[in-house]
Amino acid sequence: MSELLDAFDDAGLLDFETRSFLVEALANSEASDWRDILEPFISPAEPALLALEKVPGVLVRSQRALERELTQPEKPKVSFVADAFLKALPSGILASCGLHAVVRCARLCRAARAHAFDEVLWQYRAEWACVHWSLPPTALPNGDGKSWRQRFLATLRPRCDGIYVGECRFRRWVRLGHHSDLRKNSEALAAYGGRGGFGEWLHYRRYVRLLPPDPGDRSLRALVLT
């Protein structure tokens, strides 16, 4: 950069094409014409005039700085909405969201992923889980090199963001000829001669969904589907 370009920045003249035009026009004109060239574009023009008069070779250095700026790759522009979202992400969105929302936010971009894996965020969740469910402090491994995110996911606790699936079974007594499967009835009749019955194991699954505490009376409920 140069003192002349700094004066342009202070005056709010940031457009590359306009800055290049002014530098070229100033370089090809007399010193008496500088004020007339500058005044339509910047106000006040005194800082730029002072740089032109007091700093030797300022026009040459300004031209070189503009040439370097032209050859540099243009930085990607971030929209206002995206910038506001990334600023609100760590302290607002992620702090008040569940695990599924945090995982989805981590897939948006690299910056969002870095915020989603922030150690402070996961330390708060891990410590809160131990306090909320009255877990002993030893539930969090110490000195094992694990991150707070790994510690949070490794802590056994009731989860309200998924479904528990239990493999269940029971044994029942079936009298001869009373089974719903006719083939088993025929097999039992052939085996036991029409007397007594037999036992069989019935297997099924039980689905349990734990609901978060009720905000009114803090009661705990669960949905059970068999």
Side-chain angles (χ1 to χ4, degrees):
M1 298 295 288
S2 66
E3 292 77 0
L4 179 60
L5 296 181
D6 291 338
F8 288 170
D9 292 339
D10 296 338
L13 181 60
L14 304 178
D15 181 65
F16 178 80
E17 298 293 338
T18 306
R19 289 153 66 99
S20 301
F21 167 76
L22 284 179
V23 171
E24 184 178 358
L26 292 170
N28 296 326
S29 62
E30 300 293 336
S32 58
D33 299 328
W34 286 347
R35 179 178 293 274
D36 295 333
I37 295 174
L38 292 173
E39 283 184 345
F41 297 94
I42 61 174
S43 179
E46 280 72 16
L49 290 172
L50 185 63
L52 289 168
E53 295 171 357
K54 299 297 183 182
V55 181
V58 66
L59 286 172
V60 176
R61 289 191 289 110
S62 299
Q63 289 176 330
R64 292 175 180 175
L66 290 173
E67 291 175 358
R68 288 195 302 267
E69 185 177 346
L70 182 63
T71 57
Q72 290 179 352
E74 184 179 357
K75 296 182 180 179
K77 296 181 180 180
V78 180
S79 66
F80 172 77
V81 177
D83 183 62
F85 171 77
L86 292 176
K87 289 181 179 179
L89 190 61
S91 60
I93 299 175
L94 295 180
S96 58
C97 288
L99 292 181
H100 295 289
V102 173
V103 173
R104 290 173 181 173
C105 288
R107 299 174 181 173
L108 295 176
C109 61
R110 294 181 180 178
R113 179 178 177 82
H115 288 311
F117 281 80
D118 184 66
E119 284 290 280
V120 177
L121 172 70
W122 290 101
Q123 179 181 358
Y124 167 77
R125 288 179 177 269
E127 294 176 345
W128 180 88
C130 287
V131 173
H132 182 74
W133 297 109
S134 301
L135 300 176
T138 54
L140 292 178
N142 297 316
D144 53 2
K146 291 184 178 180
S147 63
W148 279 104
R149 180 177 181 273
Q150 293 172 326
R151 295 180 182 183
F152 174 79
L153 297 177
T155 303
L156 296 179
R157 66 196 183 282
R159 300 282 295 273
C160 299
D161 58 349
I163 298 177
Y164 291 88
V165 181
E167 298 284 347
C168 307
R169 67 174 184 168
F170 68 92
R171 186 174 177 83
R172 71 171 181 174
W173 179 258
V174 181
R175 295 175 59 188
L176 290 177
H178 287 74
H179 201 284
S180 58
D181 191 341
L182 298 181
R183 289 177 298 180
K184 292 186 177 181
N185 286 333
S186 61
E187 293 173 358
L189 289 172
Y192 302 109
R195 296 182 180 181
F198 62 95
E200 69 171 355
W201 284 101
L202 294 182
H203 298 263
Y204 66 98
R205 291 179 178 177
R206 179 167 292 169
Y207 303 90
V208 180
R209 174 66 183 267
L210 302 179
L211 301 180
D214 187 89
D217 55 4
R218 307 300 296 174
S219 59
L220 302 177
R221 297 182 176 87
L223 297 177
V224 181
L225 178 62
T226 301

